[in-house]
Amino acid sequence: MRNFLSSRIAVLKIVAFVIGIMMMIFTMGDAIKIWKKDFGKIYEKGRTDYAQDELITGKIEYVIGTVATLESTQTVCGIPVKKQLTPYYLCLITNDENNGEDNYYVLVHATNKDTIKTMDSLVIHALEHAGEKVTSSTEHVALELKAKPIPDDVMDYTMKYLQSGGTSEREIKELLADYMLEEQDFSTARFMPLFGFIIAAIPLLMFIVSRKRARAYKNSRTHYVNQGPANNFSAPPSNAGGEPMRRYSAQAYETHTYPRGYNADNSQQEPSAEMDSIDTSNLKL
């Protein structure tokens, strides 16, 4: 179980490191542009002047209506916990006398709830009042945007929306901008590479600390001793005094070696003659 948890934690560290690196790579370009304030102005551009992934700022004054709505679901461990609806608005960009461009339509994907509320208040149903002067009902809304390709489904809904008002397909292509504009938060986007760096640095620091702790633990359990000459336990012990050393005395050795003790042969005697004087008359032989 412990090895299983350790392997899962290691996998999570690797995933977090990879996510952090990817965040740094894919957000660095936008962050640099934002810090340098390298973005275009919406009212300085014509219908064909937008470039993919270009950062745009500007004011939206005229909202024709909502052509599509994106439903996104937020999940936690695979369980849906929150749904969010973000509309695609068809907006009218009026002619700027300075650049000499004609009016055109552009799709704006609003993602912030406050922006959605403001954009809803700007809807003016111009198609239902053909020939009338286009006016906005409230003040304009300032947006931070990014140019992106129009999704196929959204393009289909936009075509149906405009065709329902009597606009032909050819006229729609001549009036609709080549790219749509998606709402961004520049104040957050400028720090996204830093967030990615932090996400990647945390597992890296944890790995370095764990390696140092493992090395310190290993060193604390390792003891080094002086490697002197090996003792020869088969050699007899040395005698500093020069006297021969014996484990047993010679007498004790002989006593425990010869049968019946030391000088056992010399100690054997003939039976005493006094044995003959024993009275055996009472014995019944």
Side-chain angles (χ1 to χ4, degrees):
M1 184 65 180
R2 185 176 180 180
N3 293 334
F4 175 76
L5 292 176
S6 300
S7 62
R8 292 294 297 271
I9 293 174
V11 171
L12 291 176
K13 290 179 181 179
I14 295 174
V15 171
F17 179 78
V18 173
I19 291 175
I21 296 297
M22 298 299 289
M23 286 180 61
M24 292 176 60
I25 293 175
F26 288 104
T27 61
M28 184 64 71
D30 288 347
I32 293 175
K33 292 179 182 179
I34 294 172
W35 282 106
K36 294 173 62 177
K37 296 183 179 181
D38 183 16
F39 33 73
K41 303 294 183 179
I42 191 170
Y43 281 101
E44 294 178 355
K45 292 184 173 294
R47 183 181 65 85
T48 59
D49 295 337
Y50 296 97
Q52 184 173 345
D53 296 330
E54 181 183 9
L55 300 180
I56 307 292
T57 59
K59 300 175 182 179
I60 299 295
E61 298 183 69
Y62 310 110
V63 180
I64 306 302
T66 303
V67 298
T69 302
L70 176 64
E71 179 179 328
S72 57
T73 303
Q74 183 179 356
T75 61
V76 176
C77 297
I79 302 175
V81 295
K82 182 180 180 182
K83 288 186 178 181
Q84 184 179 11
L85 300 177
T86 53
Y88 290 83
Y89 294 101
L90 183 65
C91 302
L92 177 65
I93 307 301
T94 57
N95 178 32
D96 189 347
E97 296 179 356
N98 295 327
N99 57 27
E101 295 288 345
D102 295 331
N103 299 345
Y104 63 91
Y105 294 120
V106 64
L107 291 173
V108 177
H109 182 204
T111 57
N112 183 274
K113 61 180 181 179
D114 294 331
T115 302
I116 294 173
K117 182 178 179 180
T118 305
M119 296 284 279
D120 287 338
S121 66
L122 290 174
V123 175
I124 55 174
H125 304 295
L127 294 177
E128 298 179 2
H129 304 280
E132 297 182 8
K133 183 180 179 180
V134 177
T135 58
S136 59
S137 58
T138 61
E139 295 182 358
H140 57 263
V141 54
L143 296 177
E144 296 172 340
L145 307 161
K146 185 175 184 178
K148 291 188 175 182
I150 303 174
D152 294 338
D153 294 342
V154 176
M155 188 64 183
D156 293 339
Y157 290 129
T158 303
M159 297 290 288
K160 293 178 180 179
Y161 183 89
L162 291 173
Q163 286 176 349
S164 63
T167 307
S168 64
E169 183 176 349
R170 182 182 60 81
E171 292 174 337
I172 294 173
K173 291 181 179 180
E174 293 177 353
L175 292 174
L176 187 63
D178 296 338
Y179 291 91
M180 57 161 283
L181 303 178
E182 186 170 77
E183 185 179 10
Q184 303 287 312
D185 184 0
F186 288 178
S187 60
T188 301
R190 72 178 63 191
F191 294 108
M192 288 302 293
L194 178 61
F195 296 153
F197 174 78
I198 294 173
I199 294 174
I202 289 176
L204 184 61
L205 291 176
M206 292 176 64
F207 174 77
I208 295 174
V209 171
S210 63
R211 287 294 299 273
K212 288 185 176 180
R213 291 181 61 184
R215 185 175 299 175
Y217 177 76
K218 181 179 180 181
N219 292 337
S220 66
R221 294 178 60 87
T222 303
H223 302 282
Y224 299 94
V225 297
N226 185 19
Q227 297 295 328
N231 293 326
N232 187 2
F233 294 100
S234 62
S238 61
N239 184 10
E243 297 293 335
M245 298 185 64
R246 292 180 296 180
R247 188 178 299 274
Y248 305 104
S249 65
Q251 183 178 358
Y253 178 79
E254 293 175 353
T255 300
H256 293 283
T257 301
Y258 288 95
R260 299 179 63 186
Y262 180 66
N263 292 331
D265 294 338
N266 297 331
S267 63
Q268 293 181 359
Q269 297 178 358
E270 294 295 333
S272 175
E274 295 179 354
M275 296 289 292
D276 297 337
S277 61
I278 298 175
D279 185 7
T280 60
S281 60
N282 294 329
L283 296 176
K284 293 180 180 182
L285 299 174

